[in-house]
Amino acid sequence: MTANEDRDYNLVEGAFQDLLNSIEYKTEEADNQLITRAFQLAKDAHKGVHRKSGEPYITHPIAVAQIVATEIGLGPSSIATALMHDVVEDSDYTLEDIENMFNPNIARLIDGLTKISGVVSMESSMQLENYRKMLLTISDDVRVILIKLADRLHNMRTMQGMPAHKQLKIASETLFIYAPLAHRLGLFRIKTELEDISLKYTEPEMFEDLSNKMEELVNRDFEYLNKFTRTISGELKKAGLKFEVKKRTKSIFSIRRKMRNQQVTFDEVYDKYAIRIILDSKLANEKSDCWKAYSVVTENYSPNPNRLRDWISSPKSNGYESLHSTVMGPEGHWVEVQIRTKRMDDIAENGFAAHWKYKEDSSGSNQLDSWLRRIREFLDNPDNDSEDFIDSFKMNLFSSEIFVFTPRGEMVTLPKGATALDFAFDVHSEVGAHCLGTKVNGKLVPLSSPLKSGDQIEVLTSMKQEPKEDWLSFVKTGKAKQRIRQSLKKEKQLITGQGQMTLERKLKVLKLKSTHSNIQKLVNYFGLKNPDELFYKVGLGVIDNKKLREYARETAGLVNYFKRRIVKSSYAKQKPLSNEAKKDLMLVFGTDEHEMEYTLAKCCNPIPGDRVFGFVTTAEGLKVHRDDCPNAVLLQSRFANRTLKAKWIDKKGTFATINLLIEGMDRMGLVNDVTKVISSELSLNIKAISFAVDDGLFTGQVTIEVADKVALTDTITNIKQLEGISTVSRVGKFD
Ligand code: MN
């Protein structure tokens, strides 16, 4: 043997001997043999393998077995299982080998552990509900979970040498899965240790800082607490109680959590330490002794009635029993006092199993069995305090992200605020693109619903469904946005191309030529921006045969066309303005409504109140034409970049502010159509505009400034005429 081998041998045999010694009091010869055989097999299986730290691998299973034996308090089968927990996963030994050499029970436990380690990882972890079921179906024995916790605890205790990214991953996983599980199983001490170690790796500086502060604080208050305990002890003794008083500090992790959740500083976290009175009490007298102690404490120090917690009358679901009170100590400091019996303390710190390690009689093991059964029932029942269970999984660490689940329990990580539709796109871009609806936790919800951690989402798809423009207004993830834009663009191009061909065919039927200028006339006639938009609308069927025939009829002569425009114009219906009113009107230009120097065009002679536009000429500056000027079509189409929006406004600036509530069924392009109607009305100022679509129901809230009643009536009529709009109403204000 080399010196190294020699050292390793001593290390391993020594650790195993320590294990045997620590359980000597509760094991028999047969148990020792079982455990020793498990050790031999594991030693053989992991022979020659070393941990990152350089120690022989077998030291890990021994340490896990030690935790299982003394910190959780499980029996010989569990200890043997812990020793062999990595054998099937990491060596050539099979489950059958184990079953042949040991027994089916141990083989089943090891099978469970091997399967769990495949399931529980951040990449593939299941929906919690499913995760719990999974744990049960894998194991049907809670010991599997307990041994797994011991395994994780030891790995956490010994991950110093690992690369930082692995430390971070393991720590996050621990906070997300294992610490809450330990908490749920009542293994408070293990839970606290898991959390504190995790914090040490996820926020090393914070951990260091808080540990130092905590140490300082305990040193500073040492005398104070002693004084307090001395007084209390004296009084309790006088009352004839047998007890022990301990000082207990809050864990670094829970201080950190409180600071973050309540947005407070270290100094503002209360109850950083507590005085714990542990009573030596007969089972029958437990409750009365606890309340007796409570009254002794509160006779000497006044309690804060808001901070009394009685988990003696109704224990927590994980078995926690204790009486908590916060009292005003000497010199005006609040001190938390926890009162419980030895039995309660043991259960609170180490879980039920540990408590029964002292008990060798059959009632003890029956009790253990019944506890394990209770836990099993708890895990099995999805209604059971499920909210609480899920809550504890919402770790601060992930505050910018949410974790949601597919119907099969696969976990999906999304940014906070992500919607059901984002989820669909995350699953697959085609699933998103054809997403028809979504069910969250079994309930049908709008695609725009923001998701919460723990939600389980089912996506309903239809091949007929295509991405909609308004989807862009609520999706959060870049992936979804990009895919929707792509699809809209592609679809638009496709429809535009088809539309162009359709239009050419239809124009031929109407005996019109598809020349550039004819197309441009159509663009103007329909109030569109460019030929592509025209083709697109034709492709969509929004501009159909009927509309094209109307156009053909009206453009039989341009004159007719202008007649129609004049009739349609709201100002045409308006009575001519009085000279008085005209004096009050001034002309402004552009979206920002600037005053500019201008001259009125001779060709159409605009008068105040007419619908007009500005045209920038090279020789004569800004000229103002009427919208229905015979030159207008030419100017607006050929020199669009030289035309300026123009509008007559009241010099006194007397605009009325109007709120419009628009409701209807959503359809493709509706928002766009509504916006267009409103913005094309020149005597309106849009102050605020917002649209919402919920389950296909469209709601628009529009605040406008209106110069005159006619413009308003026209606008309302025009919006009402849009396909899909059911009501347009004036409201006092929006709620
Ligand atoms: Mn392991």
Side-chain angles (χ1 to χ4, degrees):
M1 254 194 229
T2 66
N4 273 355
E5 281 165 354
D6 202 30
R7 191 205 55 208
D8 283 357
Y9 178 83
N10 288 335
L11 185 74
V12 169
E13 299 301 323
F16 181 64
Q17 201 52 52
D18 287 348
L19 171 65
L20 286 182
N21 291 343
S22 67
I23 51 174
E24 203 178 15
Y25 66 95
K26 66 171 180 183
T27 50
E28 292 171 3
E29 191 44 36
D31 300 332
N32 283 341
Q33 272 176 21
L34 171 77
I35 293 168
T36 306
R37 280 200 298 128
F39 169 60
Q40 302 294 0
L41 181 110
K43 204 164 57 168
D44 183 48
H46 302 304
K47 196 164 60 194
V49 184
H50 286 77
R51 302 195 82 204
K52 289 248 160 54
S53 57
E55 292 168 336
Y57 190 83
I58 185 69
T59 55
H60 164 64
I62 297 173
V64 174
Q66 185 74 67
I67 294 169
V68 163
T70 50
E71 298 188 46
I72 304 179
L74 295 174
S77 296
S78 304
I79 296 167
T81 304
L83 282 167
M84 298 188 288
H85 78 270
D86 282 331
V87 164
V88 173
E89 204 178 345
D90 295 344
S91 79
D92 294 334
Y93 283 103
T94 64
L95 268 185
E96 280 118 77
D97 295 336
I98 305 265
E99 192 169 335
N100 293 334
M101 284 186 264
F102 292 86
N103 57 52
N105 267 349
I106 287 182
R108 214 191 47 216
L109 289 175
I110 291 177
D111 185 30
L113 282 159
T114 311
K115 281 182 186 154
I116 284 187
S117 60
V119 165
V120 181
S121 75
M122 291 303 279
E123 285 85 24
S124 71
S125 71
M126 321 216 104
Q127 205 257 348
L128 297 178
E129 221 49 66
N130 292 352
Y131 173 68
R132 292 197 276 174
K133 279 183 198 142
M134 182 72 177
L135 289 179
L136 289 166
T137 46
I138 284 174
S139 58
D140 74 29
D141 193 327
V142 182
R143 285 178 298 179
V144 171
I145 303 162
L146 295 173
I147 297 168
K148 188 68 203 172
L149 280 171
D151 181 27
R152 173 52 56 126
L153 179 58
H154 185 247
N155 285 332
M156 291 292 287
R157 281 175 180 170
T158 55
M159 64 175 187
Q160 300 90 329
M162 279 192 179
H165 72 277
K166 272 202 169 162
Q167 289 174 336
L168 205 62
K169 178 181 175 287
I170 294 174
S172 310
E173 207 175 87
T174 299
L175 285 179
F176 191 67
I177 306 262
Y178 293 101
L181 207 52
H183 177 68
R184 178 50 62 200
L185 297 175
L187 306 171
F188 181 77
R189 225 192 35 69
I190 289 179
K191 171 213 158 204
T192 305
E193 191 179 345
L194 287 174
E195 286 176 341
D196 276 358
I197 301 176
S198 299
L199 187 65
K200 200 167 132 188
Y201 288 104
T202 52
E203 294 181 81
E205 280 122 49
M206 178 58 75
F207 182 81
E208 182 73 15
D209 182 43
L210 292 179
S211 307
N212 290 340
K213 281 190 172 139
M214 204 56 197
E215 205 181 311
E216 255 169 54
L217 184 78
V218 172
N219 285 339
R220 194 195 71 196
D221 292 349
F222 185 75
E223 238 342 282
Y224 176 79
L225 287 176
N226 277 351
K227 208 157 82 188
F228 181 82
T229 8
R230 269 198 303 275
T231 313
I232 290 288
S233 297
E235 295 297 322
L236 289 170
K237 251 182 221 141
K238 270 193 235 163
L241 289 163
K242 276 205 270 175
F243 63 93
E244 190 189 347
V245 180
K246 278 186 187 167
K247 279 175 276 192
R248 175 251 168 206
T249 53
K250 208 185 232 352
S251 78
I252 304 294
F253 181 85
S254 52
I255 290 173
R256 174 71 185 126
R257 177 168 48 202
K258 202 155 247 182
M259 284 167 64
R260 203 187 317 227
N261 285 357
Q262 301 177 358
Q263 296 282 310
V264 293
T265 63
F266 177 81
D267 293 328
E268 291 165 314
V269 175
Y270 293 110
D271 302 333
K272 283 193 281 277
Y273 44 71
I275 297 296
R276 185 173 293 165
I277 299 168
I278 301 162
L279 297 160
D280 192 356
S281 190
K282 286 208 183 76
L283 200 60
N285 300 336
E286 279 192 318
K287 277 188 194 169
S288 62
D289 283 353
C290 286
W291 286 109
K292 200 163 164 188
Y294 174 79
S295 74
V296 168
V297 171
T298 54
E299 263 161 35
N300 287 275
Y301 302 108
S302 8
N304 181 339
N306 295 325
R307 312 213 52 177
L308 173 66
R309 299 282 177 274
D310 171 14
W311 289 298
I312 288 187
S313 311
S314 46
K316 286 191 188 177
S317 57
N318 62 9
Y320 185 85
E321 294 171 82
S322 191
L323 195 57
H324 294 191
S325 174
T326 301
V327 301
M328 185 57 85
E331 298 154 40
H333 296 300
W334 289 109
V335 180
E336 186 184 340
V337 182
Q338 305 176 345
I339 302 166
R340 54 176 77 160
T341 65
K342 246 186 179 152
R343 181 192 63 83
M344 294 175 188
D345 189 53
D346 208 7
I347 292 170
E349 293 287 298
N350 305 315
F352 271 95
H355 177 64
W356 299 110
K357 73 184 173 192
Y358 308 115
K359 309 274 191 283
E360 273 304 291
D361 60 310
S362 59
S363 81
S365 66
N366 280 342
Q367 288 272 13
L368 174 57
D369 285 347
S370 83
W371 173 70
L372 291 176
R373 199 166 50 240
R374 262 184 58 193
I375 294 293
R376 237 185 83 76
E377 277 162 11
F378 176 82
L379 289 169
D380 219 359
N381 182 357
D383 305 330
N384 206 338
D385 209 4
S386 153
E387 203 62 74
D388 185 5
F389 193 79
I390 294 202
D391 267 348
S392 48
F393 280 75
K394 286 184 203 154
M395 307 308 300
N396 300 317
L397 188 64
F398 306 113
S399 57
S400 61
E401 291 181 326
I402 55 167
F403 297 95
V404 295
F405 300 90
T406 68
R408 276 182 297 166
E410 284 136 345
M411 190 169 85
V412 174
T413 310
L414 292 169
K416 204 173 177 175
T419 61
L421 189 60
D422 285 300
F423 172 86
F425 275 102
D426 196 273
V427 169
H428 194 282
S429 58
E430 286 306 300
V431 173
H434 299 299
C435 177
L436 192 64
T438 44
K439 277 184 176 176
V440 173
N441 304 323
K443 254 172 52 193
L444 205 60
V445 303
L447 295 179
S448 57
S449 302
L451 300 172
K452 296 189 308 298
S453 267
D455 279 347
Q456 192 166 25
I457 301 106
E458 188 186 337
V459 179
L460 313 170
T461 57
S462 156
M463 285 319 282
K464 281 185 193 151
Q465 175 74 314
E466 293 292 339
K468 302 272 184 288
E469 202 155 351
D470 69 281
W471 286 7
L472 285 172
S473 65
F474 57 78
V475 292
K476 285 282 175 302
T477 54
K479 191 175 174 182
K481 278 190 185 147
Q482 198 191 352
R483 181 64 180 78
I484 295 168
R485 283 208 191 96
Q486 254 174 25
S487 166
L488 288 175
K489 210 173 136 192
K490 220 163 95 191
E491 199 197 47
K492 201 165 176 176
Q493 279 169 352
L494 197 75
I495 295 175
T496 305
Q498 286 169 346
Q500 184 167 10
M501 290 191 296
T502 313
L503 184 65
E504 280 168 15
R505 212 175 48 237
K506 286 181 176 173
L507 288 181
K508 207 177 270 174
V509 174
L510 295 169
K511 309 248 164 3
L512 287 167
K513 283 189 185 131
S514 326
T515 57
H516 181 74
S517 76
N518 268 343
I519 299 291
Q520 195 56 54
K521 278 177 199 155
L522 276 162
V523 168
N524 293 331
Y525 174 83
F526 288 112
L528 306 173
K529 279 200 292 284
N530 51 44
D532 271 355
E533 206 182 343
L534 174 70
F535 302 147
Y536 180 60
K537 295 235 153 156
V538 173
L540 281 180
V542 174
I543 295 178
D544 55 9
N545 279 335
K546 192 174 150 224
K547 289 193 173 136
L548 286 172
R549 269 201 303 275
E550 243 171 63
Y551 166 81
R553 213 168 38 238
E554 289 175 23
T555 43
L558 261 182
V559 186
N560 290 334
Y561 164 54
F562 286 124
K563 260 191 206 150
R564 179 186 165 276
R565 291 280 292 205
I566 291 159
V567 170
K568 230 195 142 200
S569 156
S570 57
Y571 284 91
K573 283 181 246 161
Q574 201 179 351
K575 279 185 200 140
L577 289 168
S578 66
N579 285 336
E580 208 45 36
K582 279 179 192 167
K583 268 202 304 203
D584 288 336
L585 290 179
M586 60 184 276
L587 199 52
V588 288
F589 297 91
T591 320
D592 298 332
E593 302 185 355
H594 289 299
E595 280 186 62
M596 294 173 111
E597 274 201 32
Y598 63 89
T599 49
L600 296 170
K602 297 262 160 40
C603 51
C604 54
N605 274 325
I607 52 163
D610 275 348
R611 283 182 166 225
V612 289
F613 68 95
F615 184 76
V616 184
T617 65
T618 36
E620 293 168 278
L622 186 57
K623 286 226 166 192
V624 172
H625 293 261
R626 278 166 37 185
D627 272 11
D628 52 5
C629 168
N631 289 324
V633 175
L634 184 75
L635 294 176
Q636 296 222 23
S637 59
R638 283 246 188 109
F639 309 105
N641 55 345
R642 285 163 62 183
T643 62
L644 263 181
K645 211 164 121 178
K647 167 167 133 182
W648 295 101
I649 60 164
D650 196 314
K651 274 183 198 155
K652 286 172 287 183
T654 47
F655 278 82
T657 302
I658 304 286
N659 296 317
L660 292 183
L661 183 66
I662 305 165
E663 288 169 313
M665 294 300 293
D666 187 40
R667 63 166 167 83
M668 188 157 183
L670 182 58
V671 167
N672 197 25
D673 290 351
V674 171
T675 319
K676 192 172 280 167
V677 167
I678 295 168
S679 57
S680 70
E681 184 61 57
L682 291 178
S683 44
L684 297 181
N685 268 336
I686 300 175
K687 299 270 286 184
I689 190 159
S690 77
F691 297 106
V693 176
D694 189 356
D695 267 345
L697 212 68
F698 169 95
T699 312
Q701 299 190 342
V702 183
T703 305
I704 44 179
E705 283 183 330
V706 191
D708 58 71
K709 183 80 190 278
V710 181
L712 177 65
T713 318
D714 260 22
T715 304
I716 291 178
T717 315
N718 289 342
I719 296 173
K720 270 187 184 158
Q721 277 166 358
L722 291 172
E723 182 194 329
I725 296 297
S726 53
T727 60
V728 181
S729 44
R730 277 180 69 173
V731 293
K733 62 175 183 195
F734 298 119
D735 38 40

